[in-house]
Amino acid sequence: MAAAAASFPALPFLLLLLLVPSLDAASNVTYDHRSLIISGRRRLIISTSIHYPRSVPEMWPKLVAEAKDGGADCVETYVFWNGHEIAPGQYYFEDRFDLVRFVKVVRDAGLLLILRIGPFVAAEWNFGGVPVWLHYVPGTVFRTNNEPFKSHMKSFTTYIVNMMKKEQLFASQGGNIILAQIENEYGDYYEQAYAPGGKPYAMWAASMALAQNTGVPWIMCQESDAPDPVINSCNGFYCDGFQPNSPTKPKLWTENWPGWFQTFGESNPHRPPEDVAFAVARFFEKGGSVQNYYVYHGGTNFGRTTGGPFITTSYDYDAPIDEYGLRRFPKWAHLRDLHKSIRLCEHTLLYGNTTFLSLGPKQEADIYSDQSGGCVAFLANIDSANDKVVTFRNRQYDLPAWSVSILPDCRNVVFNTAKVQSQTSMVAMVSESLQASKPERWSIFRERTGIWGKNDFVRNGFVDHINTTKDSTDYLWYTTSFSVDESYSSKGSHVVLNIDSKGHGVHAFLNNELIGSAYGNGSQSSFSVKLPINLRTGKNELALLSMTVGLQNAGFSYEWIGAGFTNVNISGVRNGTIDLSSNNWAYKIGLEGEHYGLFKPDQRSNQRWIPQSEPPKNQPLTWYKLNVDVPKGDDPVGIDMQSMGKGLVWLNGNAIGRYWPRTSSIDDRCTPSCNYRGEFNPNKCRTGCGQPTQRWYHIPRSWFHPSGNILVVFEEKGGDPTRITFSRRAVTSVCSFVSEHFPSIDLESWDESATNEGTSPAKAQLSCPEGKNITSVKFASLGTPSGTCRSYQKGSCHHPNSLSVVEKACLNTNSCTVSLSDESFGKDLCPGVTKTLAIEADCS
């Protein structure tokens, strides 16, 4: 058996995943082909990603508690190198980068932890987590058999490992870290792309990690040739067919992608929870033992990188998750029920023998039985179109298309991945006006176009944007001048400014007037633009504000991908094209407002701020400042920037990040409903076509003061700051859609030793958030209703007492249960028809 010594205490095995009362004794973590083995006991691990810098420390306990409540017994996080080593040998582990504090929060909640040190992480994070300064260390090439890169990578990895050891956080020391990861998603592609240095680098990384002597196993995701004893793992939408590269290693799924991210200007894909549940059930059905939900989280966009609070839009982003963690999905409770069902099967899955049974062309069963007499069955219908009724052990079972039923006793169905018994919670952004905390007017500061102060340097031709700014700012001014005489224009001709750029964006100013903007997109950062212009006789001043929106986060030789202009000329003039590319260009790094630190709290009285009775609208290159009150209540808060163009925003000196409410295409193949059946891909289940891809930006409540909060906005293009509002993220309504054939067994009190024929009626359950009650029932129908939450419709069969029965059970309560039974509704008005109960209720 291949094994890596480590340690962890044996954990009590509770149905509801409220496990691990204490983690204070050293434990041995090993593995075999079935699972991790912690203190001699096999473990089935359900994990979820919470990336500590994508939230603030005040949020961590709640996020971890939500993960635990959702069924996780483990938390996974990357370690973000560029957040910790801000200069060679200069480390930072404070505030949201306090890694030790985060690990201890997870530990104190009784959860295990998987530490993905990397230190390259990708992770939709700026520069893949590698410090920008490393690119400028002479001779350095990232992620290959390159000595400077390996030296710095080893130093940082060792620093993190020693920090964890000092705090006794590895399982072998009595801590909760059970696995560590080196590198990230390297595999065959990069080994070949970086040949001949690719494979030697991957093998060196594994050897370097093992030499750290953490006492826990190391993993490498998507690394098919990970050397023993390092475990290779799977990332993807589906990992049931994945097999590790050795029969001595367990089957691990490090990134289950229940969410996806969009690129600039695209609509927002949502993976249906029924499909996520199908993928997870199939993974455990096929012998998986560790799976981790990896959500492309939105949240506060700390720093200058992009990303919204409740959607994700970026090349890469440093955005923390929202306050509801994984409950950003309306039907997350469906997966929580799945986890409970899998836990009922855990012992037999890990210790039993398995038998495969074909039930039909696209129907199958995996049966596990152990020596104690335990029996578990997974009945799967992998047909993506047709529902089936199958016979298993002389009983018939209804299997919807693309679904798995879980039978913890090989007889009774406790869960089916397509039958969503849990409620759907509908979230709304409740708008609140910006309330000034005292009668102080807006203040503004207008950026100067082009060079402010002295230029930083002058060059003949163009410099690379990133090599010049080294990501210290988004902004770099390129300025030049040229002259034309009275005969420059032909009659009827159209004079055009042509710009070619490597990325990522440009605002073009001619003679101090904004004449246009242009951008790349998430898949192609380079762009070309043609802008009609009017020249004046004599000297003309051209100022181009080049912008980055976060650096490339992955790809072959990604650190060499540049930004900035490659060609600028003017066409349509009488004497031919005016080529400006070889002109003398004066350069200025950053903005004047950045230089003065206008976003900092100690600059609130800076004399450069000019009070305004009414702030100017649609004004480019303008800074705005306003004192605001704290939004009422305790709901998560976002700031609605839909009325603005593009820029940066701060609260009390804390960088909320970039905002850019760019509108998606109306031709992005959005559909009014989403069919969960069939394999998911990022082009499936798109929503929001023609809507802003970013709008709300999360502000942690811990950033607000009781009064006197300073909101600072820098607007690049022009917008209306008077229409900026705060918004509270609140559950406003809950829905349920449950049919008679849905599993009716209570997962909370399941006892497989008792005879249970599953004869109790199915139930619809509704629950409002704490502090809110069901105040009205907007729809209720027992019969054959159709539609989705907020758009239910009555069918041909409808019980007339539906509304009164539901109101009696639910009104003015925080939660309620309605049984689909004759006792509740009376006489069956549609004999022989499978009845469904649909409910929509308001919470307030």
Side-chain angles (χ1 to χ4, degrees):
M1 177 182 74
S7 46
F8 203 78
L11 308 179
F13 183 40
L14 302 182
L15 281 183
L16 304 184
L17 309 176
L18 302 177
L19 35 85
V20 197
S22 65
L23 302 170
D24 53 7
S27 304
N28 186 33
V29 179
T30 60
Y31 62 80
D32 65 9
H33 70 290
R34 294 292 290 270
S35 70
L36 297 181
I37 302 171
I38 303 178
S39 290
R41 193 191 112 202
R42 298 188 188 281
R43 290 296 306 275
L44 186 155
I45 306 295
I46 296 174
S47 173
T48 182
S49 295
I50 301 177
H51 295 167
Y52 55 97
R54 286 183 161 132
S55 50
V56 294
E58 292 79 5
M59 291 167 59
W60 293 344
K62 182 179 179 182
L63 292 171
V64 172
E66 292 281 3
K68 184 174 181 176
D69 180 62
D73 54 356
C74 185
V75 167
E76 173 270 357
T77 186
Y78 283 119
V79 177
F80 296 88
W81 187 2
N82 56 9
H84 292 301
E85 192 171 5
I86 56 180
Q90 183 178 340
Y91 295 100
Y92 180 81
F93 288 91
E94 299 176 18
D95 194 47
R96 62 191 178 94
F97 286 96
D98 191 342
L99 175 59
V100 168
R101 178 178 175 181
F102 176 76
V103 176
K104 289 181 177 179
V105 167
V106 176
R107 179 199 64 187
D108 294 345
L111 300 186
L112 309 173
L113 188 131
I114 300 171
L115 192 67
R116 303 175 73 180
I117 298 175
F120 169 82
V121 297
E124 294 66 56
W125 187 270
N126 198 52
F127 225 41
V130 180
V132 173
W133 56 257
L134 185 55
H135 179 53
Y136 301 99
V137 172
T140 300
V141 180
F142 289 7
R143 304 185 76 197
T144 189
N145 197 31
N146 172 267
E147 292 306 319
F149 182 78
K150 292 194 299 181
S151 174
H152 285 281
M153 174 179 170
K154 179 180 178 181
S155 294
F156 180 74
T157 302
T158 302
Y159 193 95
I160 294 298
V161 168
N162 288 341
M163 176 180 284
M164 298 300 105
K165 286 181 178 179
K166 181 181 178 181
E167 299 291 334
Q168 304 282 300
L169 293 174
F170 286 108
S172 54
Q173 304 171 293
N176 58 333
I177 300 173
I178 58 168
L179 293 173
Q181 179 180 302
I182 196 68
E183 246 297 336
N184 188 52
E185 299 180 321
Y186 199 72
D188 295 340
Y189 170 78
Y190 288 105
E191 285 190 9
Q192 295 174 19
Y194 284 106
K199 186 175 180 65
Y201 163 71
M203 297 304 103
W204 168 85
S207 176
M208 181 268 289
L210 293 170
Q212 300 290 329
N213 296 316
T214 60
V216 301
W218 284 86
I219 63 175
M220 298 179 82
C221 67
Q222 292 189 328
E223 186 70 43
S224 62
D225 56 0
D228 288 342
V230 178
I231 308 168
N232 64 307
S233 64
C234 179
N235 290 355
F237 293 113
Y238 307 93
C239 283
D240 52 289
F242 168 79
Q243 292 298 329
N245 63 8
S246 168
T248 64
K249 299 177 183 179
K251 186 173 179 175
L252 311 184
W253 189 357
T254 35
E255 292 187 15
N256 174 6
W257 300 334
W260 201 241
F261 69 95
Q262 66 207 40
T263 53
F264 286 126
E266 292 185 0
S267 54
N268 190 25
H270 293 283
R271 189 178 181 192
E274 296 92 335
D275 181 62
V276 178
F278 173 82
V280 173
R282 291 285 287 171
F283 175 72
F284 287 116
E285 174 188 354
K286 297 300 181 181
S289 62
V290 176
Q291 84 92 38
N292 173 67
Y293 292 101
Y294 187 86
V295 181
Y296 290 91
H297 294 296
T300 312
N301 354 298
F302 294 118
R304 291 175 290 100
T305 49
T306 58
F310 315 115
I311 60 174
T312 303
T313 309
S314 61
Y315 299 113
D316 44 69
Y317 66 99
D318 299 348
I321 57 182
D322 66 76
E323 299 239 13
Y324 279 82
L326 287 178
R327 290 194 179 181
R328 69 194 289 264
F329 296 101
K331 298 178 183 177
W332 169 246
H334 182 52
L335 301 180
R336 181 175 53 188
D337 291 344
L338 168 66
H339 303 152
K340 293 178 182 179
S341 303
I342 290 172
R343 291 297 181 190
L344 297 177
C345 309
E346 180 170 2
H347 184 275
T348 306
L349 284 175
L350 293 177
Y351 289 94
N353 297 317
T354 181
T355 303
F356 174 81
L357 181 65
S358 176
L359 303 176
K362 292 188 177 182
Q363 292 78 49
E364 62 186 43
D366 277 296
I367 305 109
Y368 290 78
S369 55
D370 60 35
Q371 293 181 343
S372 66
C375 182
V376 167
F378 289 81
L379 309 184
N381 179 6
I382 56 178
D383 191 321
S384 62
N386 301 302
D387 296 350
K388 298 290 182 181
V389 176
V390 300
T391 300
F392 172 69
R393 293 193 172 186
N394 299 317
R395 295 188 71 176
Q396 289 190 327
Y397 296 88
D398 172 75
L399 289 181
W402 202 252
S403 76
V404 178
S405 285
I406 299 176
L407 290 65
D409 57 358
C410 286
R411 185 170 181 83
N412 291 291
V413 176
V414 298
F415 185 87
N416 177 274
T417 60
K419 299 177 180 179
V420 181
Q421 294 175 236
S422 57
Q423 71 179 25
T424 299
S425 298
M426 304 305 292
V427 174
M429 298 303 296
V430 181
S431 180
E432 289 191 358
S433 299
L434 295 182
Q435 297 295 325
S437 41
K438 52 186 176 180
E440 181 175 316
R441 296 173 294 178
W442 288 85
S443 296
I444 69 162
F445 172 80
R446 289 183 174 172
E447 281 282 327
R448 277 181 275 183
T449 301
I451 304 299
W452 51 269
K454 295 182 179 180
N455 63 59
D456 289 318
F457 57 91
V458 177
R459 291 286 186 276
N460 184 23
F462 300 123
V463 299
D464 181 81
H465 179 134
I466 296 171
N467 286 342
T468 304
T469 65
K470 295 180 173 57
D471 201 37
S472 61
T473 174
D474 275 356
Y475 305 101
L476 177 64
W477 282 105
Y478 295 62
T479 66
T480 193
S481 62
F482 59 96
S483 296
V484 295
D485 59 28
E486 295 180 354
S487 63
Y488 81 91
S489 179
S490 300
K491 185 176 181 180
S493 67
H494 299 282
V495 181
V496 174
L497 174 66
N498 304 285
I499 303 172
D500 296 327
S501 175
K502 291 181 288 185
H504 303 161
V506 62
H507 298 312
F509 296 83
L510 181 64
N511 300 322
N512 294 318
E513 295 292 331
L514 178 64
I515 56 174
S517 304
Y519 312 94
N521 58 49
S523 57
Q524 183 62 50
S525 60
S526 62
F527 62 91
S528 297
V529 62
K530 298 179 181 297
L531 301 172
I533 59 174
N534 292 311
L535 297 176
R536 65 189 182 193
T537 301
K539 188 177 181 181
N540 291 264
E541 301 284 348
L542 178 64
L544 304 178
L545 182 58
S546 176
M547 298 168 291
T548 53
V549 283
L551 303 187
Q552 190 83 13
N553 66 16
F556 173 65
S557 296
Y558 76 91
E559 74 271 26
W560 300 98
I561 297 175
F565 308 117
T566 57
N567 181 60
V568 176
N569 66 64
I570 297 173
S571 60
V573 296
R574 182 186 299 274
N575 297 323
T577 298
I578 301 174
D579 185 1
L580 300 177
S581 299
S582 57
N583 270 29
N584 276 342
W585 289 82
Y587 292 88
K588 189 65 180 179
I589 297 171
L591 303 171
E592 187 175 13
E594 288 179 310
H595 174 72
Y596 293 131
L598 293 181
F599 50 86
K600 297 179 180 179
D602 60 4
Q603 296 298 309
R604 63 190 305 171
S605 300
N606 191 311
Q607 295 302 308
R608 293 177 179 84
W609 285 113
I610 302 173
Q612 300 280 299
S613 58
E614 187 75 14
K617 302 174 183 178
N618 302 314
Q619 179 70 46
L621 301 184
T622 303
W623 294 76
Y624 299 91
K625 179 173 72 73
L626 183 69
N627 285 14
V628 294
D629 281 339
V630 185
K632 296 178 181 179
D634 57 5
D635 293 322
V637 176
I639 186 168
D640 186 347
M641 302 299 291
Q642 184 176 219
S643 67
M644 303 300 283
K646 180 182 178 296
L648 304 167
V649 59
W650 295 262
L651 180 75
N652 295 326
N654 296 298
I656 299 169
R658 299 189 186 94
Y659 63 86
W660 193 4
R662 188 171 184 177
T663 301
S664 68
S665 170
I666 60 174
D667 300 319
D668 263 349
R669 301 181 303 282
C670 286
T671 56
S673 61
C674 177
N675 189 341
Y676 72 87
R677 296 169 174 85
E679 291 193 359
F680 181 78
N681 63 73
N683 292 319
K684 184 178 179 180
C685 299
R686 289 184 175 275
T687 60
C689 292
Q691 300 297 316
T693 56
Q694 299 185 88
R695 177 175 174 181
W696 294 284
Y697 300 81
H698 175 220
I699 307 176
R701 279 193 174 268
S702 61
W703 284 2
F704 284 96
H705 304 321
S707 63
N709 297 283
I710 305 171
L711 182 70
V712 174
V713 176
F714 170 65
E715 171 58 42
E716 299 171 11
K717 299 170 58 179
D720 184 353
T722 64
R723 292 169 55 201
I724 297 173
T725 64
F726 288 133
S727 296
R728 292 182 294 104
R729 184 180 191 268
V731 174
T732 55
S733 59
V734 291
C735 295
S736 183
F737 192 89
V738 177
S739 296
E740 289 177 317
H741 57 70
F742 279 25
S744 56
I745 295 172
D746 186 357
L747 290 169
E748 309 289 340
S749 58
W750 166 264
D751 182 359
E752 62 180 318
S753 64
T755 301
N756 191 331
E757 299 297 330
T759 55
S760 58
K763 300 179 179 66
Q765 296 179 320
L766 297 174
S767 179
C768 291
E770 184 178 352
K772 293 185 177 182
N773 287 336
I774 296 172
T775 52
S776 67
V777 179
K778 303 192 75 171
F779 182 92
S781 176
L782 176 68
T784 55
S786 60
T788 58
C789 188
R790 289 182 174 165
S791 62
Y792 291 138
Q793 294 181 334
K794 296 176 183 178
S796 57
C797 174
H798 167 71
H799 201 292
N801 295 336
S802 299
L803 183 62
S804 61
V805 169
V806 173
E807 287 181 334
K808 181 178 179 181
C810 297
L811 277 181
N812 302 315
T813 66
N814 173 259
S815 61
C816 62
T817 300
V818 182
S819 173
L820 278 69
S821 64
D822 292 339
E823 291 77 10
S824 297
F825 288 90
K827 182 180 179 181
D828 185 353
L829 301 181
C830 309
V833 175
T834 300
K835 260 74 74 181
T836 295
L837 176 59
I839 306 172
E840 179 188 347
D842 286 340
C843 293
S844 62

